[in-house]
Structures are given as C-alpha cells and as structure tokens.
Amino acid sequence: MRFLIPLLILGLPLAEIAGFVAVGREIGVAMTLLLVFLSAIAGIMLLRIQGFSVLRRVQEAARTGIDPGLDVLGGVLVFIAAILLIVPGFISDILGVFIFLPPVRRAVAAFLRSRITILSSAPGYGSSNPQSSGPHSTDPGSSGPRREDRRGPLIIDLEEDEFSRKKKDEDGPEPPTNRLSR
C-alpha cells in the first residue's frame, strides 16, 4: 500500500501518454485531439446536469428530514467522474464514464460508506427525544417518523453579555396588544 500511491502518481501519466500515442497512431492526431476535446465537453455537461440533479436531491432530503449523506457521497462521485472526463487522457475518461454509470456509482458509494462515517448536523437528525423513535411517531402511510417528531429540543446557547433581563421579563410576558408598535 505504501508504494501504490507513488506508483499511481508516476504510472498514470505515463499510461495516459502511452494511450495518446496508441490512439493517435490508429486514428490520427486530429481525431485524437477531437476526442480529448469532446470528452472534456461531455464532462462539463454531465457535471452540470448531474450536479444540479444531485443538488436538488440533497435539498429535497434536507427539506423532508431524510439524511442526505448518501446523496452527498453520490454528488462527490459525480464530481470526481466529471473531473476525470475533463482531464485529458483516455484512461481517466474510461474511469470517469464508469463512475458516471448509476450502478457503478452506487456500488462505489456503498463500498465507501462502509469505510467512512458521514455526519449530518442539519436540523431534524439525531433527535435526543427518546419518544420520537417509537412506533406512535409515524404518520399513516409514511415510511418514518414525522419531521416534527425527529427534531430535538431547540436550544439557543447565549453568553451573559449576549442578552439582558428587564423587570418586565421577570414578571412574565406582557399581554398582547392590538396596536402596531415599532
């Protein structure tokens, strides 16, 4: 493992150059350069299309209270695949295309997920309320606890110099008035 990374750092550019020579010998220099240019454009387009799709899925997961960790990991893999397509070279293009394929991306994401920990700190995850995970906290027809039930208590931590207490506050809240005040 110790020698694998330096070997990849030195070996991959040499393999890419060998790929350029082999492809250039078969189809010509102009067509080789055109293929490199087209793969870079494809990488940019796929990054744009897939990137916005992943961003929408992450936002939807966050809005519904679902952990977006797997979608974020998929987004990182899409980004890596797009960069591999944008970088000149046929070996990196082949790796990028494979990572863009959804079954391969899911398999790589599952492999990585088993070896890394993804922490989510968005509201609605990891409730400290022990009753929120019970069987009575789900809506009929839904697959999990309601979003309101998954939230923990709202805690705002202020230092002494960040707030002040007035006499009115100690007596309790003022009764509501019907007039508008500024």
Side-chain angles (χ1 to χ4, degrees):
M1 186 67 176
R2 173 185 224 167
F3 299 108
L4 184 64
I5 293 176
L7 184 65
L8 282 175
I9 290 173
L10 295 174
L12 188 60
L14 293 175
E16 293 286 8
I17 292 170
F20 279 130
V21 170
V23 171
R25 193 177 299 154
E26 291 296 320
I27 64 173
V29 174
M31 290 302 293
T32 302
L33 292 175
L34 181 65
L35 278 176
V36 169
F37 181 71
L38 290 176
S39 73
I41 290 175
I44 292 169
M45 289 174 50
L46 286 171
L47 178 62
R48 184 174 180 191
I49 293 167
Q50 290 287 323
F52 284 130
S53 171
V54 167
L55 184 61
R56 268 188 256 114
R57 285 196 311 265
V58 168
Q59 287 174 338
E60 181 64 28
R63 185 173 42 252
T64 59
I66 299 170
D67 183 16
L70 198 56
D71 288 325
V72 170
L73 189 57
V76 169
L77 290 174
V78 164
F79 179 75
I80 290 171
I83 295 300
L84 287 173
L85 279 173
I86 293 169
V87 169
F90 295 111
I91 296 172
S92 61
D93 290 347
I94 291 169
L95 288 172
V97 167
F98 277 126
I99 294 174
F100 260 119
L101 298 173
V104 174
R105 192 169 56 228
R106 280 191 293 267
V108 170
F111 174 78
L112 290 175
R113 181 130 185 179
S114 69
R115 285 164 174 62
I116 62 174
T117 302
I118 300 173
L119 299 176
S120 298
S121 63
Y125 307 120
S127 171
S128 61
N129 183 359
Q131 295 174 344
S132 66
S133 60
H136 302 293
S137 63
T138 58
D139 289 327
S142 72
S143 60
R146 292 186 306 259
R147 183 176 179 155
E148 307 83 47
D149 293 339
R150 283 191 298 262
R151 291 184 188 210
L154 180 62
I155 298 173
I156 301 173
D157 188 17
L158 298 175
E159 299 293 326
E160 282 189 34
D161 60 339
E162 294 176 332
F163 74 96
S164 65
R165 182 167 287 174
K166 298 179 182 173
K167 179 78 171 130
K168 286 189 276 184
D169 290 340
E170 292 173 1
D171 296 337
E174 289 185 12
T177 59
N178 289 335
R179 61 187 172 130
L180 294 174
S181 61
R182 292 185 186 193

